[in-house]
Amino acid sequence: MNFMKRLFDFYLDASIHVALAVVSLVKATTFFFNVELDGHLMYFVFFGTIVNYNFIKYGVEAEKYLLVGNRYHKNIQFFSFICFVLTCYHGWFLSMDTWLILSILAVLTGFYALPVLPRARNLRSLGGLKILVVALVWSGITVVLPMVGTQKVLVWDVWVEVVQRILLVLVLLIPFEIRDLAYDEPGLKTIPQRVGVMRTKVFGALLVLLFFILTYFKDVISESELIAKGVLFLVLGGLMFVTKRNQSKYFSSFWVESIPLLWCGLIWVLVYLF
């Protein structure tokens, strides 16, 4: 049991779970727009997400990443290096258009992790702006990147999906923002710090409603997409209701981040049925 718990904690701490969540949202895009994604791009997104998230969590300060003192973080460091090599391998096969989008997203990620403002260490230290940058990067990776990778035109429906994906990620980040109230410095000015937990949850519920309404702004809506987003609307609404300040250890890091995986599975079943 101890071995399984250590393995599960490594699965979470090494960002494997969040990488699967990102890949699941990429697959959701391919289902909605009926496109076939190149395998190299899918693997690039998976391994690249692990590398980027581990760098943000452990590597912003070199002494915490390059000069690792304990065995556990050394294992994460070695695992991240293997993922970096695999990211480079699969990145070799990507198109120039894909790399252009990746360059823009890399700049946003750099702003998030590295010092860019004179009075802030990085955008990560600006609570309100932090989650918006994360949502923009996730929407770019999970919507724009697969569409560009399949040489599809970024039509109106794609941009509607981009906005919906931004809203989805913002909602998924709210439980993390509420959880981190106990650890965040007051100067971060995160949304829960500014308006309180209850108003933050109401704000999240409004985002959930807007997310679903935007589905009807698309020119083409399949029955499977409408059902999938309707179910997600109910799940996210329930998430805002059950999210608390005092959370269990795995509530946000596992269960909340599992929502994209479960949603992708639901979409796959609906596409098969319809």
Side-chain angles (χ1 to χ4, degrees), residues 157-175:
D157 284 0
V158 175
W159 292 115
V160 173
E161 189 67 34
V162 167
V163 176
Q164 284 189 296
R165 203 61 56 87
I166 291 172
L167 294 173
L168 169 59
V169 176
L170 288 174
V171 171
L172 292 177
L173 286 172
I174 285 177

Side-chain angles (χ1 to χ4, degrees), residues 64-80:
K64 291 184 178 181
Y65 198 66
L66 299 178
L67 306 176
V68 180
N70 64 75
R71 179 64 179 270
Y72 185 71
H73 286 100
K74 282 184 178 179
N75 291 337
I76 293 178
Q77 183 186 51
F78 179 73
F79 176 71
S80 300

Side-chain angles (χ1 to χ4, degrees), residues 41-209:
L41 180 57
M42 185 69 75
Y43 286 118
F44 178 89
V45 169
F46 176 73
F47 292 117
T49 299
I50 292 174
V51 173
N52 278 295
Y53 263 79
N54 286 345
F55 174 73
I56 289 170
K57 286 194 293 186
Y58 309 111
V60 173
E61 299 178 34
E63 64 272 17
K64 291 184 178 181
Y65 198 66
L66 299 178
L67 306 176
V68 180
N70 64 75
R71 179 64 179 270
Y72 185 71
H73 286 100
K74 282 184 178 179
N75 291 337
I76 293 178
Q77 183 186 51
F78 179 73
F79 176 71
S80 300
F81 175 75
I82 297 299
C83 290
F84 175 74
V85 173
L86 292 171
T87 301
C88 292
Y89 169 75
H90 291 290
W92 177 262
F93 298 94
L94 302 182
S95 67
M96 290 303 298
D97 289 340
T98 300
W99 272 110
L100 177 61
I101 302 300
L102 284 169
S103 299
I104 297 172
L105 297 175
V107 170
L108 282 173
T109 304
F111 283 167
Y112 176 82
L114 303 174
V116 293
L117 298 175
R119 295 187 179 181
R121 290 171 295 174
N122 46 46
L123 295 187
R124 193 182 184 189
S125 63
L126 300 176
L129 192 56
K130 175 189 73 174
I131 63 172
L132 180 59
V133 172
V134 174
L136 286 171
V137 172
W138 273 56
S139 64
I141 290 173
T142 63
V143 181
V144 178
L145 206 59
M147 297 307 293
V148 171
T150 53
Q151 303 297 313
K152 293 293 183 179
V153 179
L154 300 183
V155 295
W156 168 257
D157 284 0
V158 175
W159 292 115
V160 173
E161 189 67 34
V162 167
V163 176
Q164 284 189 296
R165 203 61 56 87
I166 291 172
L167 294 173
L168 169 59
V169 176
L170 288 174
V171 171
L172 292 177
L173 286 172
I174 285 177
F176 291 90
E177 294 284 288
I178 293 175
R179 179 198 66 182
D180 292 342
L181 268 174
Y183 315 104
D184 286 339
E185 298 176 4
L188 284 179
K189 300 187 187 307
T190 62
I191 296 176
Q193 287 176 336
R194 289 173 182 268
V195 303
V197 172
M198 183 57 65
R199 289 183 179 178
T200 300
K201 293 168 67 172
V202 171
F203 173 67
L206 292 175
L207 293 182
V208 173
L209 180 61

Side-chain angles (χ1 to χ4, degrees), residues 226-237:
L226 190 59
I227 295 173
K229 288 185 174 176
V231 171
L232 185 59
F233 165 73
L234 297 175
V235 171
L236 294 177

